[in-house]
Amino acid sequence: MGERTILITGASDGLGRLVARRLSIAGATVILHGRDRGKLGEVAKDIERESPNARLLIAVADLSSLAQVRRLAADIHESADRLDVLVNNAGVAGLVDRQLSADGYELHFAVNYLAGFLLTSLLLPLVQRSAPARIVNVSSKGQHQIDFTDVMLERDYDQLRAYRQSKLAQILFTFELHERLRRRGDARITINAIHPATLMDTKLVKALWGAPLTSIEDGAEAVLRLIDSAAVAGTSGRYFEGFSEATALPQAYNREDRFRLWQLSEELVKC
Ligand SMILES: NC(=O)c1ccc[n+]([C@@H]2O[C@H](COP(=O)([O-])OP(=O)(O)OC[C@H]3O[C@@H](n4cnc5c(N)ncnc54)[C@H](OP(=O)(O)O)[C@@H]3O)[C@@H](O)[C@H]2O)c1
């Protein structure tokens, strides 16, 4: 781990926080991303109490603003000379009423998917310079088909559908970026999506479902495997549920829809 630099979005709470802690203790340089500097400072203090030599960087950005995503990427280009692993983990759920991002997009779609799409694109040159490198998209087993006639869910908004649509979008993006990298002969970056564990004990689950079924440790182990295990070193363009490769909704395997989402995303991030 010693030479590796790892960015975890949404490291201020839940799964991201635990994964960051584990990686720091193992000796990686960890970039803790969150939207609240105070909360990130507390996370850093906790890690440093346990591991006084931890190498931590703090990066603040609200992912509901594409301008802040761009600034986050610029900050990372400035402060890190390498990026061995990018973990797109930050996520929101449980928005009973339809809400819009700073750029006017449905908030689950904007935070859970579009921010990661833009951040990954902007950081890709740094990831490429650090290869072999890995990208891990923390998605979910809870998925909903994307209706391209109503991506922003202006008709019939439903919080579960909004969350699930954003999680499937992450998987389409994972498969599409994998193919694009391979087409240009770049096999040194792997990209995979994962459902970490079902209903872990986090505030996201409390907001959406109430009672948890699993611990954060369960999900963290599965995500850490994709980040670090030699067993998946060359594995790319896959979707996992915990430790097992799994099948996502059929739309994820539809090339036309993946291309369509990519094109739409490029348009949406231009704003
Ligand atoms: N929990 C589960 O059972 C489960 C199952 C499947 C998938 N997942 C996925 O796991 C990931 C982590 O979720 P979690 O359960 O650990 O939830 P969590 O405890 O609520 O953590 C979510 C993280 O995302 C950050 N975040 C949310 N909105 C943000 C925004 N606009 N800008 C920047 N950061 C933002 C949060 O920051 P704050 O600390 O400031 O709120 C927090 O650090 C999510 O992608 C989720 O979809 C979770």
mmCIF file of all heavy atoms in Angstrom, residues 10-16 33-36 39 61-64 88-92 111-112 138-141 163 167 170 194-205 214, ligand 1:
data_model
loop_
_atom_site.group_PDB
_atom_site.id
_atom_site.type_symbol
_atom_site.label_atom_id
_atom_site.label_comp_id
_atom_site.label_asym_id
_atom_site.label_seq_id
_atom_site.Cartn_x
_atom_site.Cartn_y
_atom_site.Cartn_z
ATOM 1 N N GLY A 10 -17.030 10.659 -0.659
ATOM 2 C CA GLY A 10 -17.951 10.308 0.420
ATOM 3 C C GLY A 10 -17.256 9.560 1.536
ATOM 4 O O GLY A 10 -17.760 8.550 2.037
ATOM 5 N N ALA A 11 -16.081 10.078 1.936
ATOM 6 C CA ALA A 11 -15.313 9.417 3.011
ATOM 7 C C ALA A 11 -15.659 9.998 4.376
ATOM 8 O O ALA A 11 -15.033 9.653 5.375
ATOM 9 C CB ALA A 11 -13.817 9.554 2.732
ATOM 10 N N SER A 12 -16.655 10.867 4.429
ATOM 11 C CA SER A 12 -16.988 11.513 5.704
ATOM 12 C C SER A 12 -17.955 10.683 6.542
ATOM 13 O O SER A 12 -18.262 11.049 7.678
ATOM 14 C CB SER A 12 -17.588 12.900 5.440
ATOM 15 O OG SER A 12 -18.704 12.778 4.577
ATOM 16 N N ASP A 13 -18.465 9.595 5.984
ATOM 17 C CA ASP A 13 -19.465 8.814 6.728
ATOM 18 C C ASP A 13 -19.533 7.396 6.159
ATOM 19 O O ASP A 13 -18.964 7.110 5.092
ATOM 20 C CB ASP A 13 -20.846 9.480 6.609
ATOM 21 C CG ASP A 13 -21.671 9.317 7.875
ATOM 22 O OD1 ASP A 13 -21.497 8.298 8.584
ATOM 23 O OD2 ASP A 13 -22.497 10.204 8.165
ATOM 24 N N GLY A 14 -20.218 6.517 6.890
ATOM 25 C CA GLY A 14 -20.605 5.206 6.385
ATOM 26 C C GLY A 14 -19.480 4.382 5.778
ATOM 27 O O GLY A 14 -18.372 4.282 6.314
ATOM 28 N N LEU A 15 -19.787 3.792 4.651
ATOM 29 C CA LEU A 15 -18.861 2.874 3.978
ATOM 30 C C LEU A 15 -17.540 3.556 3.606
ATOM 31 O O LEU A 15 -16.457 3.010 3.831
ATOM 32 C CB LEU A 15 -19.558 2.345 2.712
ATOM 33 C CG LEU A 15 -18.755 1.422 1.823
ATOM 34 C CD1 LEU A 15 -18.481 0.090 2.518
ATOM 35 C CD2 LEU A 15 -19.500 1.170 0.503
ATOM 36 N N GLY A 16 -17.632 4.745 3.024
ATOM 37 C CA GLY A 16 -16.424 5.451 2.573
ATOM 38 C C GLY A 16 -15.478 5.735 3.725
ATOM 39 O O GLY A 16 -14.257 5.598 3.610
ATOM 40 N N HIS A 33 -12.523 12.553 0.544
ATOM 41 C CA HIS A 33 -13.414 13.570 -0.010
ATOM 42 C C HIS A 33 -14.718 13.607 0.796
ATOM 43 O O HIS A 33 -15.236 12.574 1.230
ATOM 44 C CB HIS A 33 -13.765 13.289 -1.486
ATOM 45 C CG HIS A 33 -15.056 13.978 -1.865
ATOM 46 N ND1 HIS A 33 -16.283 13.349 -1.781
ATOM 47 C CD2 HIS A 33 -15.310 15.262 -2.224
ATOM 48 C CE1 HIS A 33 -17.237 14.211 -2.103
ATOM 49 N NE2 HIS A 33 -16.676 15.376 -2.384
ATOM 50 N N GLY A 34 -15.240 14.821 0.950
ATOM 51 C CA GLY A 34 -16.567 15.000 1.538
ATOM 52 C C GLY A 34 -17.042 16.401 1.216
ATOM 53 O O GLY A 34 -16.336 17.177 0.578
ATOM 54 N N ARG A 35 -18.269 16.712 1.666
ATOM 55 C CA ARG A 35 -18.761 18.079 1.388
ATOM 56 C C ARG A 35 -18.646 18.982 2.604
ATOM 57 O O ARG A 35 -18.907 20.174 2.521
ATOM 58 C CB ARG A 35 -20.206 18.012 0.910
ATOM 59 C CG ARG A 35 -21.133 17.347 1.898
ATOM 60 C CD ARG A 35 -22.545 17.226 1.362
ATOM 61 N NE ARG A 35 -23.233 16.165 2.088
ATOM 62 C CZ ARG A 35 -24.495 15.846 1.903
ATOM 63 N NH1 ARG A 35 -25.207 16.496 1.019
ATOM 64 N NH2 ARG A 35 -25.042 14.861 2.599
ATOM 65 N N ASP A 36 -18.285 18.385 3.746
ATOM 66 C CA ASP A 36 -18.262 19.139 4.999
ATOM 67 C C ASP A 36 -16.852 19.052 5.599
ATOM 68 O O ASP A 36 -16.440 17.994 6.098
ATOM 69 C CB ASP A 36 -19.313 18.491 5.927
ATOM 70 C CG ASP A 36 -19.387 19.160 7.294
ATOM 71 O OD1 ASP A 36 -18.375 19.729 7.748
ATOM 72 O OD2 ASP A 36 -20.463 19.072 7.912
ATOM 73 N N LYS A 39 -16.564 17.775 9.256
ATOM 74 C CA LYS A 39 -16.783 16.333 9.393
ATOM 75 C C LYS A 39 -15.553 15.550 8.903
ATOM 76 O O LYS A 39 -15.132 14.571 9.517
ATOM 77 C CB LYS A 39 -18.014 15.960 8.551
ATOM 78 C CG LYS A 39 -18.828 14.839 9.104
ATOM 79 C CD LYS A 39 -20.169 14.712 8.363
ATOM 80 C CE LYS A 39 -20.717 13.315 8.566
ATOM 81 N NZ LYS A 39 -21.997 13.089 7.890
ATOM 82 N N ALA A 61 -15.858 19.097 -1.596
ATOM 83 C CA ALA A 61 -16.679 19.522 -2.746
ATOM 84 C C ALA A 61 -18.075 18.951 -2.585
ATOM 85 O O ALA A 61 -18.236 17.787 -2.211
ATOM 86 C CB ALA A 61 -16.081 19.015 -4.063
ATOM 87 N N ASP A 62 -19.055 19.777 -2.865
ATOM 88 C CA ASP A 62 -20.429 19.284 -2.901
ATOM 89 C C ASP A 62 -20.687 18.748 -4.305
ATOM 90 O O ASP A 62 -20.646 19.497 -5.283
ATOM 91 C CB ASP A 62 -21.401 20.424 -2.561
ATOM 92 C CG ASP A 62 -22.817 19.911 -2.406
ATOM 93 O OD1 ASP A 62 -23.173 18.913 -3.064
ATOM 94 O OD2 ASP A 62 -23.575 20.511 -1.619
ATOM 95 N N LEU A 63 -20.937 17.453 -4.387
ATOM 96 C CA LEU A 63 -21.070 16.818 -5.708
ATOM 97 C C LEU A 63 -22.397 17.138 -6.391
ATOM 98 O O LEU A 63 -22.624 16.691 -7.505
ATOM 99 C CB LEU A 63 -20.895 15.301 -5.585
ATOM 100 C CG LEU A 63 -19.557 14.826 -4.998
ATOM 101 C CD1 LEU A 63 -19.482 13.301 -5.017
ATOM 102 C CD2 LEU A 63 -18.366 15.414 -5.737
ATOM 103 N N SER A 64 -23.227 17.935 -5.722
ATOM 104 C CA SER A 64 -24.459 18.358 -6.399
ATOM 105 C C SER A 64 -24.209 19.597 -7.251
ATOM 106 O O SER A 64 -25.150 20.181 -7.780
ATOM 107 C CB SER A 64 -25.572 18.618 -5.386
ATOM 108 O OG SER A 64 -25.249 19.749 -4.602
ATOM 109 N N ASN A 88 -15.482 5.877 -6.532
ATOM 110 C CA ASN A 88 -16.669 6.744 -6.591
ATOM 111 C C ASN A 88 -17.721 6.140 -5.667
ATOM 112 O O ASN A 88 -18.472 5.250 -6.058
ATOM 113 C CB ASN A 88 -17.202 6.819 -8.028
ATOM 114 C CG ASN A 88 -16.308 7.661 -8.917
ATOM 115 O OD1 ASN A 88 -15.988 8.804 -8.586
ATOM 116 N ND2 ASN A 88 -15.886 7.106 -10.043
ATOM 117 N N ASN A 89 -17.722 6.629 -4.431
ATOM 118 C CA ASN A 89 -18.564 6.033 -3.391
ATOM 119 C C ASN A 89 -19.681 6.958 -2.908
ATOM 120 O O ASN A 89 -20.724 6.474 -2.476
ATOM 121 C CB ASN A 89 -17.654 5.641 -2.210
ATOM 122 C CG ASN A 89 -18.436 5.409 -0.926
ATOM 123 O OD1 ASN A 89 -19.085 4.368 -0.762
ATOM 124 N ND2 ASN A 89 -18.429 6.393 -0.036
ATOM 125 N N ALA A 90 -19.478 8.270 -2.976
ATOM 126 C CA ALA A 90 -20.454 9.194 -2.383
ATOM 127 C C ALA A 90 -21.841 8.933 -2.964
ATOM 128 O O ALA A 90 -21.989 8.657 -4.156
ATOM 129 C CB ALA A 90 -20.046 10.640 -2.655
ATOM 130 N N GLY A 91 -22.830 9.014 -2.104
ATOM 131 C CA GLY A 91 -24.177 8.775 -2.606
ATOM 132 C C GLY A 91 -25.232 9.354 -1.687
ATOM 133 O O GLY A 91 -25.004 9.571 -0.493
ATOM 134 N N VAL A 92 -26.372 9.613 -2.294
ATOM 135 C CA VAL A 92 -27.491 10.161 -1.539
ATOM 136 C C VAL A 92 -28.725 9.314 -1.846
ATOM 137 O O VAL A 92 -28.840 8.721 -2.917
ATOM 138 C CB VAL A 92 -27.687 11.659 -1.915
ATOM 139 C CG1 VAL A 92 -28.130 11.826 -3.360
ATOM 140 C CG2 VAL A 92 -28.661 12.350 -0.984
ATOM 141 N N VAL A 111 -25.808 13.531 -8.173
ATOM 142 C CA VAL A 111 -24.784 13.228 -7.150
ATOM 143 C C VAL A 111 -24.238 11.805 -7.327
ATOM 144 O O VAL A 111 -23.033 11.578 -7.327
ATOM 145 C CB VAL A 111 -25.366 13.400 -5.723
ATOM 146 C CG1 VAL A 111 -24.391 12.883 -4.669
ATOM 147 C CG2 VAL A 111 -25.716 14.855 -5.466
ATOM 148 N N ASN A 112 -25.155 10.846 -7.498
ATOM 149 C CA ASN A 112 -24.734 9.435 -7.476
ATOM 150 C C ASN A 112 -24.073 9.007 -8.779
ATOM 151 O O ASN A 112 -23.252 8.095 -8.777
ATOM 152 C CB ASN A 112 -25.942 8.521 -7.224
ATOM 153 C CG ASN A 112 -26.600 8.798 -5.883
ATOM 154 O OD1 ASN A 112 -26.117 9.601 -5.103
ATOM 155 N ND2 ASN A 112 -27.709 8.137 -5.624
ATOM 156 N N VAL A 138 -19.068 2.442 -6.611
ATOM 157 C CA VAL A 138 -19.942 1.824 -5.612
ATOM 158 C C VAL A 138 -21.389 2.068 -6.053
ATOM 159 O O VAL A 138 -21.912 3.176 -5.950
ATOM 160 C CB VAL A 138 -19.670 2.370 -4.197
ATOM 161 C CG1 VAL A 138 -20.595 1.672 -3.190
ATOM 162 C CG2 VAL A 138 -18.208 2.161 -3.814
ATOM 163 N N SER A 139 -21.966 1.003 -6.574
ATOM 164 C CA SER A 139 -23.322 1.081 -7.109
ATOM 165 C C SER A 139 -24.260 0.350 -6.153
ATOM 166 O O SER A 139 -24.060 0.420 -4.932
ATOM 167 C CB SER A 139 -23.320 0.440 -8.507
ATOM 168 O OG SER A 139 -24.621 0.386 -9.022
ATOM 169 N N SER A 140 -25.235 -0.351 -6.685
ATOM 170 C CA SER A 140 -26.170 -1.075 -5.820
ATOM 171 C C SER A 140 -26.916 -2.145 -6.607
ATOM 172 O O SER A 140 -27.054 -2.052 -7.823
ATOM 173 C CB SER A 140 -27.178 -0.097 -5.215
ATOM 174 O OG SER A 140 -28.133 -0.798 -4.463
ATOM 175 N N LYS A 141 -27.385 -3.108 -5.850
ATOM 176 C CA LYS A 141 -28.253 -4.153 -6.387
ATOM 177 C C LYS A 141 -29.631 -3.564 -6.715
ATOM 178 O O LYS A 141 -30.369 -4.090 -7.536
ATOM 179 C CB LYS A 141 -28.395 -5.182 -5.255
ATOM 180 C CG LYS A 141 -28.934 -6.487 -5.573
ATOM 181 C CD LYS A 141 -28.869 -7.249 -4.238
ATOM 182 C CE LYS A 141 -29.328 -8.650 -4.352
ATOM 183 N NZ LYS A 141 -28.988 -9.407 -3.134
ATOM 184 N N TYR A 163 -33.224 6.773 -6.976
ATOM 185 C CA TYR A 163 -31.978 6.199 -6.442
ATOM 186 C C TYR A 163 -31.510 5.046 -7.337
ATOM 187 O O TYR A 163 -30.354 4.963 -7.739
ATOM 188 C CB TYR A 163 -32.223 5.708 -5.010
ATOM 189 C CG TYR A 163 -31.040 4.974 -4.407
ATOM 190 C CD1 TYR A 163 -29.907 5.671 -3.979
ATOM 191 C CD2 TYR A 163 -31.056 3.584 -4.268
ATOM 192 C CE1 TYR A 163 -28.819 4.988 -3.429
ATOM 193 C CE2 TYR A 163 -29.972 2.908 -3.717
ATOM 194 C CZ TYR A 163 -28.860 3.611 -3.301
ATOM 195 O OH TYR A 163 -27.779 2.944 -2.767
ATOM 196 N N LYS A 167 -28.117 4.340 -9.757
ATOM 197 C CA LYS A 167 -27.190 3.230 -9.483
ATOM 198 C C LYS A 167 -26.986 2.380 -10.736
ATOM 199 O O LYS A 167 -25.895 1.889 -10.986
ATOM 200 C CB LYS A 167 -27.744 2.388 -8.324
ATOM 201 C CG LYS A 167 -27.752 3.128 -6.988
ATOM 202 C CD LYS A 167 -26.370 3.192 -6.388
ATOM 203 C CE LYS A 167 -25.897 4.541 -6.008
ATOM 204 N NZ LYS A 167 -24.528 4.567 -5.501
ATOM 205 N N GLN A 170 -24.559 4.161 -13.059
ATOM 206 C CA GLN A 170 -23.146 3.917 -12.711
ATOM 207 C C GLN A 170 -22.621 2.639 -13.375
ATOM 208 O O GLN A 170 -21.464 2.558 -13.761
ATOM 209 C CB GLN A 170 -22.983 3.760 -11.198
ATOM 210 C CG GLN A 170 -23.114 5.035 -10.384
ATOM 211 C CD GLN A 170 -22.866 4.717 -8.922
ATOM 212 O OE1 GLN A 170 -23.660 4.020 -8.282
ATOM 213 N NE2 GLN A 170 -21.770 5.204 -8.377
ATOM 214 N N ILE A 194 -19.755 -2.217 -7.991
ATOM 215 C CA ILE A 194 -20.053 -3.173 -6.905
ATOM 216 C C ILE A 194 -21.263 -2.750 -6.075
ATOM 217 O O ILE A 194 -21.448 -1.561 -5.787
ATOM 218 C CB ILE A 194 -18.811 -3.354 -5.987
ATOM 219 C CG1 ILE A 194 -19.085 -4.406 -4.916
ATOM 220 C CG2 ILE A 194 -18.355 -2.030 -5.382
ATOM 221 C CD1 ILE A 194 -17.848 -4.858 -4.158
ATOM 222 N N HIS A 195 -22.072 -3.731 -5.744
ATOM 223 C CA HIS A 195 -23.061 -3.601 -4.668
ATOM 224 C C HIS A 195 -22.314 -4.124 -3.440
ATOM 225 O O HIS A 195 -22.015 -5.327 -3.367
ATOM 226 C CB HIS A 195 -24.289 -4.469 -4.977
ATOM 227 C CG HIS A 195 -25.187 -4.659 -3.792
ATOM 228 N ND1 HIS A 195 -26.078 -3.700 -3.370
ATOM 229 C CD2 HIS A 195 -25.325 -5.700 -2.921
ATOM 230 C CE1 HIS A 195 -26.731 -4.142 -2.301
ATOM 231 N NE2 HIS A 195 -26.288 -5.352 -2.005
ATOM 232 N N PRO A 196 -21.984 -3.256 -2.488
ATOM 233 C CA PRO A 196 -21.082 -3.705 -1.408
ATOM 234 C C PRO A 196 -21.709 -4.755 -0.492
ATOM 235 O O PRO A 196 -21.119 -5.799 -0.232
ATOM 236 C CB PRO A 196 -20.761 -2.401 -0.662
ATOM 237 C CG PRO A 196 -21.796 -1.407 -1.084
ATOM 238 C CD PRO A 196 -22.317 -1.823 -2.409
ATOM 239 N N ALA A 197 -22.891 -4.465 0.019
ATOM 240 C CA ALA A 197 -23.623 -5.394 0.887
ATOM 241 C C ALA A 197 -25.042 -4.836 0.982
ATOM 242 O O ALA A 197 -25.274 -3.677 0.665
ATOM 243 C CB ALA A 197 -22.985 -5.473 2.269
ATOM 244 N N THR A 198 -25.949 -5.667 1.429
ATOM 245 C CA THR A 198 -27.358 -5.245 1.428
ATOM 246 C C THR A 198 -27.754 -4.608 2.758
ATOM 247 O O THR A 198 -27.583 -5.201 3.820
ATOM 248 C CB THR A 198 -28.251 -6.470 1.137
ATOM 249 O OG1 THR A 198 -27.871 -6.983 -0.148
ATOM 250 C CG2 THR A 198 -29.719 -6.087 1.097
ATOM 251 N N LEU A 199 -28.254 -3.395 2.652
ATOM 252 C CA LEU A 199 -28.754 -2.646 3.812
ATOM 253 C C LEU A 199 -27.757 -2.608 4.971
ATOM 254 O O LEU A 199 -28.026 -3.095 6.073
ATOM 255 C CB LEU A 199 -30.117 -3.199 4.269
ATOM 256 C CG LEU A 199 -31.231 -3.181 3.215
ATOM 257 C CD1 LEU A 199 -32.538 -3.700 3.801
ATOM 258 C CD2 LEU A 199 -31.455 -1.788 2.655
ATOM 259 N N MET A 200 -26.605 -2.018 4.686
ATOM 260 C CA MET A 200 -25.598 -1.819 5.747
ATOM 261 C C MET A 200 -26.103 -0.739 6.710
ATOM 262 O O MET A 200 -26.941 0.083 6.351
ATOM 263 C CB MET A 200 -24.272 -1.350 5.130
ATOM 264 C CG MET A 200 -23.595 -2.365 4.273
ATOM 265 S SD MET A 200 -22.090 -1.665 3.560
ATOM 266 C CE MET A 200 -22.731 -0.485 2.398
ATOM 267 N N ASP A 201 -25.498 -0.742 7.857
ATOM 268 C CA ASP A 201 -25.942 0.160 8.914
ATOM 269 C C ASP A 201 -25.377 1.577 8.699
ATOM 270 O O ASP A 201 -24.441 1.994 9.382
ATOM 271 C CB ASP A 201 -25.476 -0.421 10.258
ATOM 272 C CG ASP A 201 -26.126 0.283 11.418
ATOM 273 O OD1 ASP A 201 -26.997 1.146 11.183
ATOM 274 O OD2 ASP A 201 -25.756 -0.022 12.563
ATOM 275 N N THR A 202 -25.929 2.301 7.735
ATOM 276 C CA THR A 202 -25.445 3.663 7.448
ATOM 277 C C THR A 202 -26.631 4.627 7.435
ATOM 278 O O THR A 202 -27.791 4.195 7.375
ATOM 279 C CB THR A 202 -24.760 3.744 6.076
ATOM 280 O OG1 THR A 202 -25.753 3.539 5.069
ATOM 281 C CG2 THR A 202 -23.650 2.716 5.913
ATOM 282 N N LYS A 203 -26.328 5.923 7.393
ATOM 283 C CA LYS A 203 -27.431 6.889 7.428
ATOM 284 C C LYS A 203 -28.247 6.856 6.141
ATOM 285 O O LYS A 203 -29.433 7.150 6.142
ATOM 286 C CB LYS A 203 -26.916 8.294 7.756
ATOM 287 C CG LYS A 203 -26.242 9.060 6.655
ATOM 288 C CD LYS A 203 -25.998 10.489 7.155
ATOM 289 C CE LYS A 203 -25.360 11.409 6.138
ATOM 290 N NZ LYS A 203 -24.274 10.860 5.341
ATOM 291 N N LEU A 204 -27.615 6.437 5.039
ATOM 292 C CA LEU A 204 -28.343 6.306 3.777
ATOM 293 C C LEU A 204 -29.453 5.261 3.915
ATOM 294 O O LEU A 204 -30.587 5.458 3.474
ATOM 295 C CB LEU A 204 -27.343 5.924 2.680
ATOM 296 C CG LEU A 204 -27.823 5.801 1.243
ATOM 297 C CD1 LEU A 204 -26.765 6.345 0.287
ATOM 298 C CD2 LEU A 204 -28.106 4.353 0.888
ATOM 299 N N VAL A 205 -29.126 4.157 4.547
ATOM 300 C CA VAL A 205 -30.117 3.084 4.727
ATOM 301 C C VAL A 205 -31.202 3.523 5.703
ATOM 302 O O VAL A 205 -32.391 3.275 5.486
ATOM 303 C CB VAL A 205 -29.411 1.789 5.184
ATOM 304 C CG1 VAL A 205 -30.391 0.797 5.771
ATOM 305 C CG2 VAL A 205 -28.678 1.168 4.000
ATOM 306 N N THR A 214 -27.098 -5.607 7.427
ATOM 307 C CA THR A 214 -25.689 -6.016 7.490
ATOM 308 C C THR A 214 -24.863 -4.885 8.103
ATOM 309 O O THR A 214 -25.353 -3.764 8.267
ATOM 310 C CB THR A 214 -25.123 -6.319 6.081
ATOM 311 O OG1 THR A 214 -25.275 -5.150 5.278
ATOM 312 C CG2 THR A 214 -25.824 -7.485 5.408
HETATM 313 N N1 LIG B 1 -25.737 1.270 2.848
HETATM 314 C C1 LIG B 1 -26.034 0.283 2.000
HETATM 315 O O1 LIG B 1 -26.596 -0.756 2.376
HETATM 316 C C2 LIG B 1 -25.674 0.394 0.551
HETATM 317 C C3 LIG B 1 -26.064 -0.645 -0.314
HETATM 318 C C4 LIG B 1 -25.711 -0.543 -1.657
HETATM 319 C C5 LIG B 1 -24.977 0.542 -2.089
HETATM 320 N N2 LIG B 1 -24.618 1.534 -1.220
HETATM 321 C C6 LIG B 1 -23.854 2.652 -1.733
HETATM 322 O O2 LIG B 1 -22.746 2.868 -0.888
HETATM 323 C C7 LIG B 1 -22.304 4.232 -1.026
HETATM 324 C C8 LIG B 1 -22.033 4.814 0.354
HETATM 325 O O3 LIG B 1 -23.269 4.875 1.044
HETATM 326 P P1 LIG B 1 -23.407 4.734 2.631
HETATM 327 O O4 LIG B 1 -24.410 3.698 2.850
HETATM 328 O O5 LIG B 1 -22.073 4.656 3.262
HETATM 329 O O6 LIG B 1 -24.114 6.142 2.961
HETATM 330 P P2 LIG B 1 -23.722 7.355 3.933
HETATM 331 O O7 LIG B 1 -23.248 6.856 5.243
HETATM 332 O O8 LIG B 1 -24.890 8.268 3.890
HETATM 333 O O9 LIG B 1 -22.462 8.018 3.195
HETATM 334 C C9 LIG B 1 -22.643 8.720 2.006
HETATM 335 C C10 LIG B 1 -21.430 9.581 1.755
HETATM 336 O O10 LIG B 1 -21.681 10.366 0.568
HETATM 337 C C11 LIG B 1 -21.527 11.738 0.889
HETATM 338 N N3 LIG B 1 -22.390 12.611 0.110
HETATM 339 C C12 LIG B 1 -23.738 12.571 -0.016
HETATM 340 N N4 LIG B 1 -24.163 13.591 -0.780
HETATM 341 C C13 LIG B 1 -23.077 14.293 -1.159
HETATM 342 C C14 LIG B 1 -22.859 15.451 -1.933
HETATM 343 N N5 LIG B 1 -23.866 16.150 -2.486
HETATM 344 N N6 LIG B 1 -21.595 15.897 -2.105
HETATM 345 C C15 LIG B 1 -20.544 15.245 -1.545
HETATM 346 N N7 LIG B 1 -20.690 14.140 -0.787
HETATM 347 C C16 LIG B 1 -21.934 13.667 -0.592
HETATM 348 C C17 LIG B 1 -21.903 11.820 2.361
HETATM 349 O O11 LIG B 1 -21.438 13.050 2.908
HETATM 350 P P3 LIG B 1 -22.017 13.599 4.336
HETATM 351 O O12 LIG B 1 -21.237 12.867 5.378
HETATM 352 O O13 LIG B 1 -21.726 15.041 4.287
HETATM 353 O O14 LIG B 1 -23.489 13.266 4.358
HETATM 354 C C18 LIG B 1 -21.183 10.584 2.889
HETATM 355 O O15 LIG B 1 -19.808 10.811 3.017
HETATM 356 C C19 LIG B 1 -23.419 4.940 -1.797
HETATM 357 O O16 LIG B 1 -23.019 5.112 -3.145
HETATM 358 C C20 LIG B 1 -24.588 3.966 -1.729
HETATM 359 O O17 LIG B 1 -25.448 4.089 -2.846
HETATM 360 C C21 LIG B 1 -24.939 1.487 0.088
#
